[in-house]
Amino acid sequence: MAAKVHYLDALNPAQRRAVEHGVSGTDMPPGRPLLVIAGAGSGKTNTLAHRVAHLIVNGADPRRILLMTFSRRAAGEMEKRVERIARKVIGEKAGVMTDALAWAGTFHGIGARLLRTYAEQIGLDAAFTIHDREDSADLMNLARHDLGFSKTESRFPAKGTCVTIYSRCVNAQAPLEDVLGSWFPWCQAWAPELKELFNAYVEAKQRQNVLDYDDLLLYWAQAITDPALAQDMGSRFDHVLVDEYQDTNRLQASILLGLKPDGQGLTVVGDDAQSIYSFRAAAVRNILDFPASFTPAAEIITLDRNYRSTQAILAAANGVIALAPERFTKNLWTERQGPAIPQLVSVRDETDQAGYIVERVLENREGGSTLKQQAVLFRTSSHSGPLEVELTRRNIPFVKFGGLKFLDTAHVKDMLALLRFVQNPRDRVAGFRVMQLMQGVGPTAAQRVLDHMAETSDPIASLAGAPCPPRAGRAWQDFVKTIEALRTGGPGWPAEIEYARLWYEPHLDRLHEDAITRQADLVQLEQIASGYPSRERFLTELTLDPPDATSDQAGVPMLDEDYLILSTIHSAKGQEWKSVFVLNVVDGCIPSDLGTGTTAEIDEERRLLYVAMTRAKDDLHLITPHRFFTHKQNAMGDRHVYASRTRFIPNALIGLFERTIWPPATAPVARVATQGPRIDVGARIRGMWR
C-alpha cells in the first residue's frame, strides 16, 4: 500500500484523513459515516475526487459507488478528476475503471434511473415521461382552467406561482398552510382551492403517466419507506458520496438516510457556513444534524486550510461567521499573506458607490489585473442597476450572472417601450409591445390600431378614436388616458416615469409571478431617470436593442475582449476572483429587509455575507452607502432611506478592516481677496419687505 499512496502526497493532513477514512487494505470495510466540513477555498472538490479514486485504487467496485452532485457538469468534472488521479497508480486501466463509475450524477438523474428499475414494484409504468418546469406549468394551467379558477372574481395565483408553491411543499416536506404563511402570504386565502388544484394536478400526471421534476425525488423517497425496497436499493451501493450537502432539502436528506440508515459507507461533504439556498427549500439542519443521525455518530473531519484568500481576508470572514449562534467550529487559515486588509468603504449614495467601483476597477486594470479577475457582488439583482448604467456610460464591458442585465429585463424594456411610444407614436415596435401588455389585446388588434394611427397627422390624437379592441374593456381607456397625459407632459420629467409605472404595475402583477421583485427594478429605473434632464435624453442614452439572452446569464458582451463580472452572491458561490467588491453592505440590503423575519432568515443572511467575502483572493471592498434607493414608498414620497452598516459587522470587528471614505475630503480652495461683495443679496432681501 505504501508504494501506491504517492498520489496522496499533495494533500494536507486533514484532506488525507478524509480521503483515507474507512480504507484499510484491499478488503475495503465501508466504515462509519463521514462528514467533511469543507471551508471556502479548502480544496473540497479535489478531496472528494481523491476519495473516490482512492476507493477504486484500493479495490472498490466502481459500479457499486454512488456519487451525487448538484449538476451534471459537476458530476462529469468529478469523473475526469478521478480518472486523472487513478491513472497515476493503475495506468491505462484507470479509464476502464472510471467508465464503470456508472452511478455518478444528480439526485434527480439517479432518481429517474432507479424509478424505472423499480417501476413495477411501486405501481409505475416504466415508460413514464418527465415534464420540465414549462410543461409542468402548462399542465397545472389546464387543471386550473378545468376547475374554473382562471375565472375567479379576484385574481387566482398564476400557473407559475402554483407550480412554485407545489414544488416547495414537496421538497420542504411542509404543509401547504406553512408554506403559504412563510413564503406566499398573498396566496393564503386560496389555500382550499390550491389543495383542490394540486390534487387535480397529481391525478392528471398519473393518468398521463408523466412525472415532473419534483416527482423524481418524491417517488424515490416514498419507495424507500418500504423496508424491503429500501434494503434492496441500499444494497446496490457499497459507498454513497454526496457533494454540497448543505444545499440538500428535507426530501433529499430522507432519501439518503433511507438508502444507508446505519451510515455505513456514507460520505457527505459540505459547509454549513455556505448554506444560502433556503429559497430553493435547502435545509441547513440537514448538515447540522447529520452527525447525530447515526449510532455511532458520524466522524467529522474539518478542512480549514484555505488556498484562495489572504490571511487578512480570512480573519475578517472568520470574525463575521463566528457570531453565528449555531455552526460547526471552523476558523479558516492560510499561508498566503498580502499587504492589503479588507476595505470598509463609506460612500454618500449609490451614485458614489458606482463611481468608487469604476475608479478602483480601472486602477486595478492599469496595475495589471484584467477585468475578468475582478467581480462586483450584490444581494439582489436590482442592486446593480446604477452601476450598470455607469459601466455602460464609461464603456466598460461587463457580464452579469444571476439575472439579465438590468436594462435587458422584460419589465424594464416594457417601461422603456411605453416611453418610446409616447416620444415617437410612429414607433411600431414600441407600440406593438406596449399594447399587447393589456389582457384582450393580441397582435391583430394592436396592428389594427397602429395602422389607424399611421394614417393621421397626429397619431396620439387619433388614438382615442382608434378601434377599441373589443376584449380590452376598461384597460384600453386607461391606456389611452395614460398616453395622452404623458404626451402633453402633464406630470413633468422625471415624475412622468412614475406616472407610467403606476399604469404598468397592474399588468406587471398579472404577467409575472415575481412582480414584487420586478417593482423594485422599476422604482430603481425612476431613480436613474432623475439623473437625465429630459425624456428624450433618457431614452437616447439608455434604450437598448432587445436582448438575446434568455437564461440567468446575461451573456458575454464582447467575446474577444476582457469584461468585468457582475453577480448575485447566490450565483457567485463556488467562484473566486482576485478583487471583489460587495455592494450595499448595509441593513436593509445585507440583511435584506425581506430576510429578517426569523432567526433562521437572519442567520442565512449572515452566511450570504460570509460567502461574498470568501470569494476574494487578494483584495476585498465592502461598500456602505449612507443613502440608498428603496422600492418602498414612505409618507413623504422620498424613497431614499438612510442606511446603517450591516449588523453583521459590529464595532467589535471594525479592527479587522481598513475604514475609508470616498470620495476623499479635499482641502479648501484658497480664495482671492476682493474689495467686498459684488452683490449685497441680504440688503436686497431686506428691501423686499420695506
Side-chain angles (χ1 to χ4, degrees):
M1 177 72 176
K4 290 184 175 182
V5 296
H6 62 85
Y7 63 96
L8 303 182
D9 290 346
L11 302 175
N12 66 43
Q15 291 173 330
R16 186 155 181 166
R17 284 200 307 276
V19 168
E20 295 182 320
H21 173 81
V23 180
S24 57
T26 57
D27 51 348
M28 295 299 300
R32 58 192 279 205
L34 172 64
L35 169 61
V36 180
I37 298 296
S42 63
K44 168 184 68 69
T45 303
N46 190 45
T47 301
L48 186 57
H50 271 83
R51 178 159 177 77
V52 175
H54 193 58
L55 291 170
I56 294 173
V57 166
N58 283 275
D61 185 344
R63 295 167 298 184
R64 296 182 58 80
I65 294 177
L66 174 59
L67 173 62
M68 288 190 283
T69 64
F70 271 77
S71 70
R72 290 190 297 272
R73 185 174 65 178
E77 177 60 29
M78 189 72 72
E79 290 181 66
K80 292 177 183 176
R81 288 198 187 204
V82 169
E83 180 178 349
R84 286 197 298 268
I85 296 165
R87 191 177 293 276
K88 297 177 182 178
V89 181
I90 58 179
E92 295 302 318
K93 294 180 181 179
V96 176
M97 297 299 282
T98 52
D99 285 346
L101 196 65
W103 292 93
T106 65
F107 268 92
H108 294 87
I110 299 296
R113 289 180 60 187
L114 287 173
L115 291 180
R116 294 196 194 279
T117 301
Y118 289 90
E120 186 177 350
Q121 298 180 58
I122 60 176
L124 188 65
D125 184 342
F128 64 81
T129 55
I130 300 172
H131 273 185
D132 61 19
R133 288 294 185 194
E134 187 173 345
D135 293 331
S136 299
D138 288 343
L139 184 57
M140 183 75 77
N141 202 41
L142 287 174
R144 184 173 171 271
H145 181 74
D146 290 344
L147 291 170
F149 295 157
S150 57
K151 298 180 180 179
T152 52
E153 291 185 10
S154 58
R155 188 177 64 90
F156 192 77
K159 63 180 182 179
T161 303
C162 293
V163 168
T164 303
I165 295 171
Y166 171 84
S167 179
R168 187 165 192 92
C169 291
V170 170
N171 287 287
Q173 294 289 275
L176 174 62
E177 291 77 9
D178 291 353
V179 168
L180 293 178
S182 299
W183 296 91
F184 305 91
W186 62 91
C187 299
Q188 283 182 290
W190 295 106
E193 290 82 1
L194 286 169
K195 282 187 177 180
E196 186 179 358
L197 172 62
F198 295 162
N199 182 65
Y201 173 63
V202 169
E203 289 182 350
K205 287 189 294 182
Q206 293 180 357
R207 282 195 308 270
Q208 298 174 32
N209 194 35
V210 299
L211 302 185
D212 63 23
Y213 203 57
D214 302 315
D215 286 333
L216 299 175
L217 300 181
L218 183 60
Y219 274 67
W220 188 5
Q222 290 293 323
I224 59 176
T225 59
D226 180 87
L229 284 176
Q231 197 281 330
D232 193 55
M233 282 190 194
S235 67
R236 287 173 167 264
F237 310 109
D238 297 327
H239 301 277
V240 177
L241 304 97
V242 183
D243 194 13
E244 305 284 10
Y245 191 64
Q246 79 280 349
D247 294 335
T248 55
N249 57 44
R250 291 184 62 185
L251 194 58
Q252 289 165 324
S254 70
I255 289 170
L256 200 61
L257 297 181
L259 286 175
K260 293 294 179 184
D262 59 1
Q264 293 295 297
L266 180 58
T267 298
V268 301
V269 181
D271 182 8
D272 57 298
Q274 298 186 69
S275 178
I276 59 174
Y277 292 112
S278 65
F279 67 95
R280 296 180 186 166
V284 69
R285 293 242 59 94
N286 288 351
I287 193 167
L288 291 174
D289 297 339
F290 183 84
S293 301
F294 307 96
T295 303
E299 177 82 12
I300 303 175
I301 297 176
T302 301
L303 308 183
D304 55 7
R305 180 177 178 181
N306 180 282
Y307 293 90
R308 173 186 300 154
S309 307
T310 64
Q311 186 59 49
I313 291 173
L314 294 181
N318 286 337
V320 167
I321 202 63
L323 298 178
E326 186 177 10
R327 69 187 185 104
F328 287 109
T329 302
K330 169 181 76 277
N331 285 302
L332 298 179
W333 64 277
T334 184
E335 294 180 350
R336 290 193 69 230
Q337 301 299 323
I341 67 173
Q343 301 284 305
L344 194 58
V345 185
S346 295
V347 296
R348 181 178 52 189
D349 52 27
E350 290 172 293
T351 300
D352 279 358
Q353 178 172 243
Y356 172 80
I357 290 172
V358 168
E359 183 174 295
R360 290 290 175 266
V361 164
L362 293 177
E363 185 179 284
N364 290 342
R365 185 169 179 269
E366 290 301 314
S369 295
T370 63
L371 293 177
K372 289 181 183 179
Q373 292 176 310
Q374 306 179 69
V376 182
L377 307 183
F378 31 87
R379 171 64 179 85
T380 303
S381 183
S382 62
H383 288 176
S384 66
L387 175 61
E388 292 182 45
V389 173
E390 182 65 9
L391 291 171
T392 302
R393 189 181 73 82
R394 299 283 291 272
N395 199 29
I396 300 174
F398 65 92
V399 58
K400 182 176 178 180
F401 296 85
L404 289 172
K405 289 182 182 178
F406 178 74
L407 297 177
D408 284 355
T409 51
H411 50 294
V412 171
K413 289 189 73 65
D414 287 342
M415 281 286 288
L416 293 176
L418 175 61
L419 295 174
R420 280 171 48 210
F421 185 59
V422 171
Q423 186 72 22
N424 175 18
R426 300 194 188 279
D427 185 336
R428 296 179 74 89
V429 172
F432 202 68
R433 180 178 187 125
V434 171
M435 289 181 190
Q436 290 186 87
L437 294 173
M438 291 173 282
Q439 198 165 18
V441 179
T444 302
Q447 192 73 36
R448 189 179 300 120
V449 172
L450 291 169
D451 288 344
H452 174 83
M453 294 174 65
E455 295 170 356
T456 65
S457 58
D458 188 346
I460 293 294
S462 69
L463 179 62
C468 173
R471 293 190 298 157
R474 178 70 184 176
W476 183 258
Q477 299 172 33
D478 291 341
F479 170 67
V480 173
K481 178 182 176 183
T482 299
I483 294 294
E484 290 175 338
L486 292 174
R487 182 62 172 175
T488 59
W493 181 262
E496 64 186 65
I497 197 168
E498 179 182 14
Y499 190 88
R501 175 178 60 80
L502 293 175
W503 170 81
Y504 177 58
E505 279 187 348
H507 304 292
L508 177 74
D509 196 41
R510 174 174 53 82
L511 294 168
H512 300 285
E513 61 181 84
D514 55 345
I516 293 178
T517 301
R518 293 174 186 258
Q519 283 174 8
D521 286 349
L522 297 182
V523 177
Q524 184 73 71
L525 187 66
E526 289 180 47
Q527 164 68 359
I528 293 169
S530 67
Y532 293 83
S534 67
R535 182 205 308 145
E536 181 181 12
R537 282 280 299 277
F538 174 68
L539 291 173
T540 298
E541 297 193 30
L542 286 192
T543 302
L544 306 175
D545 292 331
D548 296 325
T550 56
S551 67
D552 285 342
Q553 178 183 339
V556 178
M558 301 177 188
L559 293 176
D560 58 342
E561 284 200 23
D562 195 13
Y563 49 85
L564 181 67
I565 303 297
L566 273 57
S567 175
T568 61
I569 300 172
H570 286 101
S571 295
K573 186 169 171 289
Q575 305 297 314
E576 60 181 43
W577 295 275
K578 187 174 181 179
S579 296
V580 168
F581 303 83
V582 186
L583 299 184
N584 295 341
V585 187
V586 294
D587 268 21
C589 293
I590 303 177
S592 165
D593 54 5
L594 300 177
T596 55
T598 66
T599 300
E601 288 175 336
I602 294 173
D603 289 346
E604 180 160 328
E605 294 289 317
R606 185 194 312 276
R607 295 193 294 269
L608 268 169
L609 178 58
Y610 174 80
V611 166
M613 294 173 69
T614 53
R615 301 309 96 196
K617 298 167 70 175
D618 300 331
D619 201 21
L620 175 63
H621 304 252
L622 306 184
I623 310 171
T624 60
H626 294 173
R627 302 169 76 227
F628 69 94
F629 206 64
T630 176
H631 66 279
K632 291 187 174 181
Q633 175 90 26
N634 63 31
M636 301 300 293
D638 181 8
R639 298 188 190 84
H640 282 98
V641 299
Y642 287 88
S644 58
R645 186 181 69 239
T646 176
R647 68 190 72 179
F648 303 139
I649 305 179
N651 289 334
L653 299 183
I654 287 297
L656 300 172
F657 299 86
E658 179 180 344
R659 300 179 71 180
T660 59
I661 297 174
W662 194 91
T666 57
V669 178
R671 297 184 179 275
V672 178
T674 65
Q675 297 298 318
R678 292 173 61 89
I679 302 175
D680 189 345
V681 176
R684 291 190 177 187
I685 293 175
R686 290 192 302 272
M688 292 171 59
W689 306 103
R690 290 176 180 169

